[in-house]
Amino acid sequence: MKGRPFLAVVLAVVLLTFSLGLGGWWLVWQRGPLQLAHHALAIPRAARFVPAQAPLSLYLLSDGEQPVAYARAVAPGRQRRSAGEAIARLRDGAFAAAGLDYHDELARWLAPGIALVLFEDPAAELAGSTGGLPAGGWLLALASRDDDGARHFLQRFWQTRSLAGTDLQVSNYRGMGLISGRGALLGSRSMPLATALVDDDLVLIASGRGVLERALDVSQIPELNQASQPGLQQQLDRLGEGAALLVARPQALEQWLGWPLPVAPGQRPTQLLASLRPEGRSLVLHGHLQLPAPPRAIGAEPISTEPNSTEPISTEPIRAEPATTESTSPATTTQTTDSASVVPAPDGPVVLPPADPAQQQQLLDGLRGQLSSLLLLQNPAAQLQQPLVQPLLQRALASSGIAGPFQAAASSGGSAELASGGDEPTRTAGKKRQLPGPQRLAAGDQRPATGEQSTPGPLPSLVVQRAEGPLLLATGPQGWQLGTASDQPAPERLQRDLAAAGLIEAPLQRGDRSLQVWTRLEVSSQRRPQAGGGETLQATLAAWRQADGPLAWWGRNLAVLDEPAGGRGREQLRAALVALDRDEAPLQWALTGVPARELLRLWQPWQLLSALAGGGLDGAVQGMAVALEPEGSTLHVQARLRFEG
C-alpha cells in the first residue's frame, strides 16, 4: 500500500515535466524566430488603403526583428553573426530610404504587419516625366504593438523634424488628422512626407499629402481598394504560407522586377500574386501570374482580377509568324511545316504540354562531367513562341552562352538576323559575312574549354529552336551538353542551316563510339619548318552528336565523353530541381553558386536590395532554381534561392 503514493508522486512529476516541456515547445514554436516560415496568408489589414490598380504592393508579415533572428537561427554557428548583420543592414537601409531611423524611431513599438506600396500617376506617365521612378509616390503602413507606441512615435517624429527646420501643416481629412511637411533628420536629404494615425495602432506614412489622401479615399470605397478584390482570399489559400506577400501589376513587372512583357494588350498578364517564405537556408518564391482571358471565349465570362481595369482586351488570337521555305537562316526557320505544335490554336495562345518525369530522369542520368547549370525544357520550339515565357527562357539560354539568335527568332514580324557571336556567319538582307577568328577547339582536342574561351556555334541554338520533345541543356567548364529525344530534331533538319554556316558533316569513330561531327575548314598561316613557311588547311570541331538508344547527345568538347556519369555539381543541381517539387513543369532551371550570383547581379531588384544593405548580399548565395508551369488561367512561378550553410 505504501508503494501507491510513491507511484502517484512519480506519475505527477512526469506529467508536470511533460506539460512544461510541451508548453515550452509551444512557446518556442509560436513565438520563436522559426515561426516566420509558417505564417498563414490572409488579406493584410493595410490592403484596405491600397488602390486596386497600385503597380506594386509588398506586405511583410513580421516586425523588424524576426527576419534578423531567423537568419541567425538557421545560419551555421560560425556565420550566425554575419547573417544577422546582413539582414539588419538591409532592414535599416530600407527604412532609411523612407527617411526613418529604425533603431531610434521604430524598434520599440513596431509590430508584425509592414506594407510598402508604390502609387501611379497617370498624368505624369502620359507626360513622360517618370524618369524610371514611381511618379505617384509611395505609402508605408506600420502596425503598432499598442496605441501609445504609434501616437508617441508620431509626436517624436514631427517634433524632431520641426527642430530641424521643417514647416508643418496640420489638417483634417475624412475625419482623420493629417500632418505633412518636408521630413528629414539633421544632415539627411529633405523629402516631402505626410502621416496619419488610423485606429490608434496603424501609422500611414506617404511621400506627400496627395498620396495619403488617395489612400484614405480608396479605404472608404471597397471596390477601389486591394483588400476587396474578388477571390483574393482564395488565391492566398492557393499560395499557402509565407512571410511576405507581393502583388505586382504589369507596370511594376517591367519597370521594377525586370520581366519584359508582350506589347499586345491581349497577351499581357493582369498581375502577379506571390508569397515569399524562408525555408531553412533557402528563400522560396511561390506565385501565380494571372493570364489574360482567352479572346472570343464562347459560353464563359472572361476571368479578371482587376475589377476596375480599363485596359482594352485584344480580340485577336496570338499567331506565330510563319516561316518561308526560301529562308536558310537559323533564326528564321524556327517554325517549319512539320512543326504544327508550335502554331497557336485559333482561340488563344499555345498551351504547353506537361513534362514527362521519366524522360527527364533518363536525360539527367546521361549527363557527364562537372556541371554548373541545368535547364530542362518540354517542347522548347513552342516555348520560344510564348510571349510570357520568352524572357526567362532567353535569359536561361543567354547564361549558357547560346542565346544570340533567340531574340530575333522569338519576335513576331520583321526580318530575322543571326546575332550570335564568335565565328558564326551573320545574315543581313540575304548576305552572308564570315566573322574573323579561328575556332578554339581543334578536332580531337581533349583540353577543357570554358564558356568564355569557346563560342557555341550555331548548332545548339538550332537544336533548341527545332526540338519539340524533352530537352536538357547543361553547361560546365567543358562547355555545353544537350540531351534530346533521338528524333527531336533529326540531324537532317539542321543540315541546310549548318551548311550555310560553313560547317561540314562527317562521321567519326572514337573508340567504340560512333559520332557525327561538324567541322569547319580554316586556313592557318603557321610556318612549316620543312617547307619554309606557308599556309595549311585545318579542320576545327564545331559540334558532335551521339545517338544513344531513344536519346541523342550533342556537345562541343569531345573530352566530356571521357568523363564518368554523375560528375561534380550534378547532384546539387538535381536536388535543387527536386526541391522545387514541380516535376511536370515545362521549364525547370537550376544554377550553382557562381552562375547564380552572376545572374543576380544583373537583376534590378537584387541591385536595389544590395544597395540598401550596403553590399554583401550575393556572397552567401550558393544556388538558385526556377520553374514555370501553366495552371489554368495562371502561370505558376516557383523559385528557390539557396544560401550558404
Side-chain angles (χ1 to χ4, degrees), residues 198-229:
V198 180
D199 296 334
D200 293 328
D201 63 349
L202 182 65
V203 177
L204 302 181
I205 305 175
S207 59
R209 179 185 174 87
V211 173
L212 188 55
E213 290 179 352
R214 185 179 176 191
L216 297 175
D217 287 339
V218 300
S219 69
Q220 303 300 313
I221 308 175
E223 292 78 9
L224 297 181
N225 64 58
Q226 201 172 83
S228 301
Q229 288 189 74

PDB file of all heavy atoms in Angstrom, residues 198-229:
ATOM      1  N   VAL A 198      -4.369  55.694 -37.873  1.00  0.00           N
ATOM      2  CA  VAL A 198      -5.644  55.009 -38.073  1.00  0.00           C
ATOM      3  C   VAL A 198      -5.890  54.079 -36.891  1.00  0.00           C
ATOM      4  O   VAL A 198      -5.049  53.211 -36.579  1.00  0.00           O
ATOM      5  CB  VAL A 198      -5.638  54.213 -39.398  1.00  0.00           C
ATOM      6  CG1 VAL A 198      -6.975  53.500 -39.590  1.00  0.00           C
ATOM      7  CG2 VAL A 198      -5.334  55.126 -40.575  1.00  0.00           C
ATOM      8  N   ASP A 199      -7.024  54.247 -36.236  1.00  0.00           N
ATOM      9  CA  ASP A 199      -7.432  53.378 -35.118  1.00  0.00           C
ATOM     10  C   ASP A 199      -6.374  53.301 -34.028  1.00  0.00           C
ATOM     11  O   ASP A 199      -6.290  52.290 -33.301  1.00  0.00           O
ATOM     12  CB  ASP A 199      -7.752  51.963 -35.626  1.00  0.00           C
ATOM     13  CG  ASP A 199      -8.947  51.952 -36.565  1.00  0.00           C
ATOM     14  OD1 ASP A 199      -9.802  52.856 -36.440  1.00  0.00           O
ATOM     15  OD2 ASP A 199      -9.004  51.048 -37.419  1.00  0.00           O
ATOM     16  N   ASP A 200      -5.563  54.316 -33.918  1.00  0.00           N
ATOM     17  CA  ASP A 200      -4.560  54.444 -32.857  1.00  0.00           C
ATOM     18  C   ASP A 200      -3.432  53.422 -32.928  1.00  0.00           C
ATOM     19  O   ASP A 200      -2.518  53.469 -32.095  1.00  0.00           O
ATOM     20  CB  ASP A 200      -5.206  54.347 -31.464  1.00  0.00           C
ATOM     21  CG  ASP A 200      -6.114  55.526 -31.178  1.00  0.00           C
ATOM     22  OD1 ASP A 200      -5.823  56.635 -31.686  1.00  0.00           O
ATOM     23  OD2 ASP A 200      -7.118  55.333 -30.457  1.00  0.00           O
ATOM     24  N   ASP A 201      -3.454  52.485 -33.876  1.00  0.00           N
ATOM     25  CA  ASP A 201      -2.382  51.486 -33.916  1.00  0.00           C
ATOM     26  C   ASP A 201      -1.879  51.185 -35.329  1.00  0.00           C
ATOM     27  O   ASP A 201      -1.163  50.211 -35.537  1.00  0.00           O
ATOM     28  CB  ASP A 201      -2.845  50.186 -33.265  1.00  0.00           C
ATOM     29  CG  ASP A 201      -4.009  49.535 -33.998  1.00  0.00           C
ATOM     30  OD1 ASP A 201      -4.587  50.190 -34.886  1.00  0.00           O
ATOM     31  OD2 ASP A 201      -4.335  48.375 -33.682  1.00  0.00           O
ATOM     32  N   LEU A 202      -2.237  52.010 -36.305  1.00  0.00           N
ATOM     33  CA  LEU A 202      -1.730  51.838 -37.657  1.00  0.00           C
ATOM     34  C   LEU A 202      -1.265  53.203 -38.167  1.00  0.00           C
ATOM     35  O   LEU A 202      -2.065  54.139 -38.289  1.00  0.00           O
ATOM     36  CB  LEU A 202      -2.802  51.272 -38.590  1.00  0.00           C
ATOM     37  CG  LEU A 202      -2.354  51.017 -40.036  1.00  0.00           C
ATOM     38  CD1 LEU A 202      -1.280  49.926 -40.076  1.00  0.00           C
ATOM     39  CD2 LEU A 202      -3.528  50.618 -40.922  1.00  0.00           C
ATOM     40  N   VAL A 203       0.018  53.309 -38.446  1.00  0.00           N
ATOM     41  CA  VAL A 203       0.613  54.554 -38.904  1.00  0.00           C
ATOM     42  C   VAL A 203       0.777  54.500 -40.414  1.00  0.00           C
ATOM     43  O   VAL A 203       1.351  53.539 -40.953  1.00  0.00           O
ATOM     44  CB  VAL A 203       1.983  54.789 -38.238  1.00  0.00           C
ATOM     45  CG1 VAL A 203       2.636  56.060 -38.786  1.00  0.00           C
ATOM     46  CG2 VAL A 203       1.830  54.884 -36.731  1.00  0.00           C
ATOM     47  N   LEU A 204       0.261  55.514 -41.092  1.00  0.00           N
ATOM     48  CA  LEU A 204       0.434  55.648 -42.538  1.00  0.00           C
ATOM     49  C   LEU A 204       1.423  56.771 -42.798  1.00  0.00           C
ATOM     50  O   LEU A 204       1.235  57.900 -42.329  1.00  0.00           O
ATOM     51  CB  LEU A 204      -0.901  55.950 -43.223  1.00  0.00           C
ATOM     52  CG  LEU A 204      -2.026  54.934 -43.029  1.00  0.00           C
ATOM     53  CD1 LEU A 204      -3.279  55.377 -43.797  1.00  0.00           C
ATOM     54  CD2 LEU A 204      -1.597  53.544 -43.480  1.00  0.00           C
ATOM     55  N   ILE A 205       2.493  56.470 -43.533  1.00  0.00           N
ATOM     56  CA  ILE A 205       3.498  57.459 -43.920  1.00  0.00           C
ATOM     57  C   ILE A 205       3.563  57.456 -45.440  1.00  0.00           C
ATOM     58  O   ILE A 205       3.789  56.405 -46.053  1.00  0.00           O
ATOM     59  CB  ILE A 205       4.874  57.135 -43.321  1.00  0.00           C
ATOM     60  CG1 ILE A 205       4.770  56.987 -41.810  1.00  0.00           C
ATOM     61  CG2 ILE A 205       5.890  58.202 -43.675  1.00  0.00           C
ATOM     62  CD1 ILE A 205       6.071  56.552 -41.155  1.00  0.00           C
ATOM     63  N   ALA A 206       3.356  58.605 -46.058  1.00  0.00           N
ATOM     64  CA  ALA A 206       3.310  58.703 -47.513  1.00  0.00           C
ATOM     65  C   ALA A 206       4.317  59.731 -47.999  1.00  0.00           C
ATOM     66  O   ALA A 206       4.806  60.575 -47.231  1.00  0.00           O
ATOM     67  CB  ALA A 206       1.905  59.076 -47.988  1.00  0.00           C
ATOM     68  N   SER A 207       4.615  59.665 -49.276  1.00  0.00           N
ATOM     69  CA  SER A 207       5.587  60.575 -49.890  1.00  0.00           C
ATOM     70  C   SER A 207       4.965  61.916 -50.248  1.00  0.00           C
ATOM     71  O   SER A 207       5.523  62.649 -51.054  1.00  0.00           O
ATOM     72  CB  SER A 207       6.181  59.933 -51.147  1.00  0.00           C
ATOM     73  OG  SER A 207       5.152  59.624 -52.076  1.00  0.00           O
ATOM     74  N   GLY A 208       3.833  62.233 -49.693  1.00  0.00           N
ATOM     75  CA  GLY A 208       3.190  63.509 -49.938  1.00  0.00           C
ATOM     76  C   GLY A 208       1.746  63.477 -49.483  1.00  0.00           C
ATOM     77  O   GLY A 208       1.150  62.401 -49.304  1.00  0.00           O
ATOM     78  N   ARG A 209       1.179  64.650 -49.298  1.00  0.00           N
ATOM     79  CA  ARG A 209      -0.195  64.732 -48.825  1.00  0.00           C
ATOM     80  C   ARG A 209      -1.174  64.126 -49.825  1.00  0.00           C
ATOM     81  O   ARG A 209      -2.135  63.450 -49.466  1.00  0.00           O
ATOM     82  CB  ARG A 209      -0.553  66.203 -48.555  1.00  0.00           C
ATOM     83  CG  ARG A 209      -1.973  66.418 -48.075  1.00  0.00           C
ATOM     84  CD  ARG A 209      -2.290  67.900 -47.939  1.00  0.00           C
ATOM     85  NE  ARG A 209      -3.693  68.098 -47.621  1.00  0.00           N
ATOM     86  CZ  ARG A 209      -4.189  68.088 -46.401  1.00  0.00           C
ATOM     87  NH1 ARG A 209      -3.371  67.901 -45.374  1.00  0.00           N
ATOM     88  NH2 ARG A 209      -5.478  68.276 -46.179  1.00  0.00           N
ATOM     89  N   GLY A 210      -0.951  64.340 -51.128  1.00  0.00           N
ATOM     90  CA  GLY A 210      -1.853  63.806 -52.144  1.00  0.00           C
ATOM     91  C   GLY A 210      -1.912  62.293 -52.134  1.00  0.00           C
ATOM     92  O   GLY A 210      -2.987  61.699 -52.299  1.00  0.00           O
ATOM     93  N   VAL A 211      -0.756  61.650 -51.959  1.00  0.00           N
ATOM     94  CA  VAL A 211      -0.721  60.188 -51.902  1.00  0.00           C
ATOM     95  C   VAL A 211      -1.503  59.689 -50.693  1.00  0.00           C
ATOM     96  O   VAL A 211      -2.278  58.728 -50.783  1.00  0.00           O
ATOM     97  CB  VAL A 211       0.734  59.694 -51.858  1.00  0.00           C
ATOM     98  CG1 VAL A 211       0.784  58.190 -51.627  1.00  0.00           C
ATOM     99  CG2 VAL A 211       1.466  60.058 -53.135  1.00  0.00           C
ATOM    100  N   LEU A 212      -1.330  60.336 -49.552  1.00  0.00           N
ATOM    101  CA  LEU A 212      -2.026  59.907 -48.341  1.00  0.00           C
ATOM    102  C   LEU A 212      -3.534  60.095 -48.477  1.00  0.00           C
ATOM    103  O   LEU A 212      -4.321  59.238 -48.052  1.00  0.00           O
ATOM    104  CB  LEU A 212      -1.498  60.685 -47.147  1.00  0.00           C
ATOM    105  CG  LEU A 212      -1.976  60.238 -45.763  1.00  0.00           C
ATOM    106  CD1 LEU A 212      -1.699  58.756 -45.545  1.00  0.00           C
ATOM    107  CD2 LEU A 212      -1.326  61.074 -44.675  1.00  0.00           C
ATOM    108  N   GLU A 213      -3.967  61.190 -49.057  1.00  0.00           N
ATOM    109  CA  GLU A 213      -5.400  61.417 -49.254  1.00  0.00           C
ATOM    110  C   GLU A 213      -5.990  60.374 -50.192  1.00  0.00           C
ATOM    111  O   GLU A 213      -7.128  59.913 -49.995  1.00  0.00           O
ATOM    112  CB  GLU A 213      -5.629  62.820 -49.799  1.00  0.00           C
ATOM    113  CG  GLU A 213      -5.357  63.925 -48.785  1.00  0.00           C
ATOM    114  CD  GLU A 213      -5.575  65.304 -49.367  1.00  0.00           C
ATOM    115  OE1 GLU A 213      -5.788  65.394 -50.609  1.00  0.00           O
ATOM    116  OE2 GLU A 213      -5.545  66.294 -48.611  1.00  0.00           O
ATOM    117  N   ARG A 214      -5.242  59.977 -51.206  1.00  0.00           N
ATOM    118  CA  ARG A 214      -5.753  58.948 -52.122  1.00  0.00           C
ATOM    119  C   ARG A 214      -5.905  57.616 -51.394  1.00  0.00           C
ATOM    120  O   ARG A 214      -6.864  56.878 -51.621  1.00  0.00           O
ATOM    121  CB  ARG A 214      -4.807  58.796 -53.313  1.00  0.00           C
ATOM    122  CG  ARG A 214      -5.329  57.839 -54.362  1.00  0.00           C
ATOM    123  CD  ARG A 214      -4.396  57.735 -55.534  1.00  0.00           C
ATOM    124  NE  ARG A 214      -4.855  56.738 -56.491  1.00  0.00           N
ATOM    125  CZ  ARG A 214      -4.133  56.284 -57.503  1.00  0.00           C
ATOM    126  NH1 ARG A 214      -2.920  56.773 -57.707  1.00  0.00           N
ATOM    127  NH2 ARG A 214      -4.617  55.372 -58.309  1.00  0.00           N
ATOM    128  N   ALA A 215      -4.950  57.299 -50.507  1.00  0.00           N
ATOM    129  CA  ALA A 215      -5.053  56.060 -49.734  1.00  0.00           C
ATOM    130  C   ALA A 215      -6.285  56.082 -48.839  1.00  0.00           C
ATOM    131  O   ALA A 215      -6.989  55.068 -48.705  1.00  0.00           O
ATOM    132  CB  ALA A 215      -3.792  55.867 -48.905  1.00  0.00           C
ATOM    133  N   LEU A 216      -6.564  57.213 -48.224  1.00  0.00           N
ATOM    134  CA  LEU A 216      -7.755  57.325 -47.377  1.00  0.00           C
ATOM    135  C   LEU A 216      -9.030  57.274 -48.206  1.00  0.00           C
ATOM    136  O   LEU A 216     -10.054  56.739 -47.759  1.00  0.00           O
ATOM    137  CB  LEU A 216      -7.692  58.610 -46.562  1.00  0.00           C
ATOM    138  CG  LEU A 216      -6.532  58.710 -45.560  1.00  0.00           C
ATOM    139  CD1 LEU A 216      -6.510  60.075 -44.901  1.00  0.00           C
ATOM    140  CD2 LEU A 216      -6.619  57.599 -44.521  1.00  0.00           C
ATOM    141  N   ASP A 217      -8.994  57.800 -49.427  1.00  0.00           N
ATOM    142  CA  ASP A 217     -10.167  57.752 -50.303  1.00  0.00           C
ATOM    143  C   ASP A 217     -10.549  56.314 -50.640  1.00  0.00           C
ATOM    144  O   ASP A 217     -11.709  55.914 -50.509  1.00  0.00           O
ATOM    145  CB  ASP A 217      -9.902  58.541 -51.591  1.00  0.00           C
ATOM    146  CG  ASP A 217      -9.903  60.043 -51.365  1.00  0.00           C
ATOM    147  OD1 ASP A 217     -10.479  60.488 -50.351  1.00  0.00           O
ATOM    148  OD2 ASP A 217      -9.324  60.771 -52.193  1.00  0.00           O
ATOM    149  N   VAL A 218      -9.570  55.524 -51.105  1.00  0.00           N
ATOM    150  CA  VAL A 218      -9.887  54.156 -51.535  1.00  0.00           C
ATOM    151  C   VAL A 218     -10.291  53.292 -50.353  1.00  0.00           C
ATOM    152  O   VAL A 218     -10.990  52.284 -50.529  1.00  0.00           O
ATOM    153  CB  VAL A 218      -8.706  53.521 -52.299  1.00  0.00           C
ATOM    154  CG1 VAL A 218      -8.355  54.334 -53.536  1.00  0.00           C
ATOM    155  CG2 VAL A 218      -7.484  53.357 -51.408  1.00  0.00           C
ATOM    156  N   SER A 219      -9.863  53.650 -49.136  1.00  0.00           N
ATOM    157  CA  SER A 219     -10.253  52.852 -47.968  1.00  0.00           C
ATOM    158  C   SER A 219     -11.742  52.963 -47.682  1.00  0.00           C
ATOM    159  O   SER A 219     -12.313  52.082 -47.024  1.00  0.00           O
ATOM    160  CB  SER A 219      -9.451  53.297 -46.741  1.00  0.00           C
ATOM    161  OG  SER A 219      -9.847  54.598 -46.323  1.00  0.00           O
ATOM    162  N   GLN A 220     -12.388  54.015 -48.196  1.00  0.00           N
ATOM    163  CA  GLN A 220     -13.814  54.215 -47.963  1.00  0.00           C
ATOM    164  C   GLN A 220     -14.682  53.598 -49.048  1.00  0.00           C
ATOM    165  O   GLN A 220     -15.901  53.543 -48.914  1.00  0.00           O
ATOM    166  CB  GLN A 220     -14.102  55.725 -47.869  1.00  0.00           C
ATOM    167  CG  GLN A 220     -13.306  56.440 -46.801  1.00  0.00           C
ATOM    168  CD  GLN A 220     -13.583  55.896 -45.412  1.00  0.00           C
ATOM    169  OE1 GLN A 220     -14.734  55.708 -45.030  1.00  0.00           O
ATOM    170  NE2 GLN A 220     -12.515  55.632 -44.666  1.00  0.00           N
ATOM    171  N   ILE A 221     -14.064  53.151 -50.146  1.00  0.00           N
ATOM    172  CA  ILE A 221     -14.818  52.578 -51.272  1.00  0.00           C
ATOM    173  C   ILE A 221     -14.271  51.172 -51.535  1.00  0.00           C
ATOM    174  O   ILE A 221     -13.194  51.016 -52.123  1.00  0.00           O
ATOM    175  CB  ILE A 221     -14.690  53.449 -52.538  1.00  0.00           C
ATOM    176  CG1 ILE A 221     -15.057  54.902 -52.212  1.00  0.00           C
ATOM    177  CG2 ILE A 221     -15.573  52.899 -53.655  1.00  0.00           C
ATOM    178  CD1 ILE A 221     -14.842  55.856 -53.364  1.00  0.00           C
ATOM    179  N   PRO A 222     -14.933  50.129 -51.077  1.00  0.00           N
ATOM    180  CA  PRO A 222     -14.384  48.763 -51.203  1.00  0.00           C
ATOM    181  C   PRO A 222     -14.000  48.380 -52.632  1.00  0.00           C
ATOM    182  O   PRO A 222     -13.015  47.670 -52.835  1.00  0.00           O
ATOM    183  CB  PRO A 222     -15.519  47.882 -50.658  1.00  0.00           C
ATOM    184  CG  PRO A 222     -16.294  48.782 -49.739  1.00  0.00           C
ATOM    185  CD  PRO A 222     -16.217  50.148 -50.356  1.00  0.00           C
ATOM    186  N   GLU A 223     -14.784  48.828 -53.613  1.00  0.00           N
ATOM    187  CA  GLU A 223     -14.496  48.432 -54.987  1.00  0.00           C
ATOM    188  C   GLU A 223     -13.164  48.977 -55.486  1.00  0.00           C
ATOM    189  O   GLU A 223     -12.625  48.482 -56.485  1.00  0.00           O
ATOM    190  CB  GLU A 223     -15.617  48.901 -55.920  1.00  0.00           C
ATOM    191  CG  GLU A 223     -16.944  48.200 -55.726  1.00  0.00           C
ATOM    192  CD  GLU A 223     -17.691  48.735 -54.511  1.00  0.00           C
ATOM    193  OE1 GLU A 223     -17.247  49.761 -53.941  1.00  0.00           O
ATOM    194  OE2 GLU A 223     -18.713  48.121 -54.117  1.00  0.00           O
ATOM    195  N   LEU A 224     -12.623  49.990 -54.820  1.00  0.00           N
ATOM    196  CA  LEU A 224     -11.405  50.632 -55.295  1.00  0.00           C
ATOM    197  C   LEU A 224     -10.153  50.190 -54.563  1.00  0.00           C
ATOM    198  O   LEU A 224      -9.046  50.529 -55.000  1.00  0.00           O
ATOM    199  CB  LEU A 224     -11.535  52.163 -55.182  1.00  0.00           C
ATOM    200  CG  LEU A 224     -12.627  52.825 -56.012  1.00  0.00           C
ATOM    201  CD1 LEU A 224     -12.597  54.330 -55.810  1.00  0.00           C
ATOM    202  CD2 LEU A 224     -12.465  52.480 -57.486  1.00  0.00           C
ATOM    203  N   ASN A 225     -10.278  49.456 -53.459  1.00  0.00           N
ATOM    204  CA  ASN A 225      -9.070  49.082 -52.731  1.00  0.00           C
ATOM    205  C   ASN A 225      -8.724  47.618 -52.946  1.00  0.00           C
ATOM    206  O   ASN A 225      -9.542  46.808 -53.382  1.00  0.00           O
ATOM    207  CB  ASN A 225      -9.183  49.424 -51.242  1.00  0.00           C
ATOM    208  CG  ASN A 225     -10.286  48.636 -50.545  1.00  0.00           C
ATOM    209  OD1 ASN A 225     -10.281  47.411 -50.543  1.00  0.00           O
ATOM    210  ND2 ASN A 225     -11.249  49.353 -49.952  1.00  0.00           N
ATOM    211  N   GLN A 226      -7.497  47.298 -52.630  1.00  0.00           N
ATOM    212  CA  GLN A 226      -6.966  45.961 -52.926  1.00  0.00           C
ATOM    213  C   GLN A 226      -7.566  44.886 -52.040  1.00  0.00           C
ATOM    214  O   GLN A 226      -7.697  43.726 -52.454  1.00  0.00           O
ATOM    215  CB  GLN A 226      -5.446  45.994 -52.762  1.00  0.00           C
ATOM    216  CG  GLN A 226      -4.710  44.889 -53.478  1.00  0.00           C
ATOM    217  CD  GLN A 226      -3.212  45.108 -53.436  1.00  0.00           C
ATOM    218  OE1 GLN A 226      -2.575  44.757 -52.467  1.00  0.00           O
ATOM    219  NE2 GLN A 226      -2.656  45.707 -54.481  1.00  0.00           N
ATOM    220  N   ALA A 227      -7.958  45.231 -50.837  1.00  0.00           N
ATOM    221  CA  ALA A 227      -8.489  44.224 -49.919  1.00  0.00           C
ATOM    222  C   ALA A 227      -9.802  43.633 -50.390  1.00  0.00           C
ATOM    223  O   ALA A 227     -10.167  42.529 -49.972  1.00  0.00           O
ATOM    224  CB  ALA A 227      -8.670  44.843 -48.534  1.00  0.00           C
ATOM    225  N   SER A 228     -10.519  44.348 -51.254  1.00  0.00           N
ATOM    226  CA  SER A 228     -11.841  43.889 -51.692  1.00  0.00           C
ATOM    227  C   SER A 228     -11.825  43.248 -53.067  1.00  0.00           C
ATOM    228  O   SER A 228     -12.877  43.076 -53.677  1.00  0.00           O
ATOM    229  CB  SER A 228     -12.827  45.075 -51.688  1.00  0.00           C
ATOM    230  OG  SER A 228     -12.927  45.637 -50.392  1.00  0.00           O
ATOM    231  N   GLN A 229     -10.674  42.880 -53.579  1.00  0.00           N
ATOM    232  CA  GLN A 229     -10.622  42.189 -54.867  1.00  0.00           C
ATOM    233  C   GLN A 229     -11.366  40.861 -54.768  1.00  0.00           C
ATOM    234  O   GLN A 229     -11.165  40.103 -53.814  1.00  0.00           O
ATOM    235  CB  GLN A 229      -9.174  41.918 -55.284  1.00  0.00           C
ATOM    236  CG  GLN A 229      -8.397  43.143 -55.709  1.00  0.00           C
ATOM    237  CD  GLN A 229      -7.071  42.742 -56.315  1.00  0.00           C
ATOM    238  OE1 GLN A 229      -7.017  42.248 -57.434  1.00  0.00           O
ATOM    239  NE2 GLN A 229      -6.007  42.932 -55.565  1.00  0.00           N
TER     240      GLN A 229
END
